[in-house]
Amino acid sequence: MNICELIEAVGVDQVGIQYLDRCADSLNYDAKRGTRITFGTEEPLNLQGTERLGIVVWLDRKAVAGALKGEAA
């Protein structure tokens, strides 16, 4: 199942977006460990973790900027 199929199965109205750049508490790079991003969220917690499942999806910045402006990538 790809990400589009997953979103369609869950329902687009059940999906939210949180940009890591905007919610990051820290962004660090170490040559041995790689990139570390610490971020905050308003998603509530329960005994199993966050109430909603978070998935990190990486997209090309220029393609996203174009899509938000209504342009083709």
Side-chain angles (χ1 to χ4, degrees):
M1 176 179 282
N2 66 40
I3 191 71
C4 293
E5 293 167 337
L6 178 60
I7 290 171
E8 284 182 18
V10 171
V12 71
D13 58 322
Q14 297 296 316
V15 178
I17 295 174
Q18 183 176 7
Y19 296 102
L20 287 179
D21 286 4
R22 296 182 186 160
C23 66
D25 293 328
S26 67
L27 300 165
N28 297 296
Y29 176 76
D30 180 280
K32 289 185 180 181
R33 297 188 311 165
T35 301
R36 300 280 178 177
I37 301 172
T38 304
F39 71 98
T41 185
E42 294 185 11
E43 292 296 328
L45 292 172
N46 61 33
L47 295 176
Q48 288 78 40
T50 52
E51 289 184 10
R52 296 187 342 152
L53 174 65
I55 299 173
V56 175
V57 177
W58 296 99
L59 304 168
D60 180 85
R61 285 185 182 278
K62 290 179 183 176
V64 171
L68 292 175
K69 290 180 182 177
E71 301 169 5

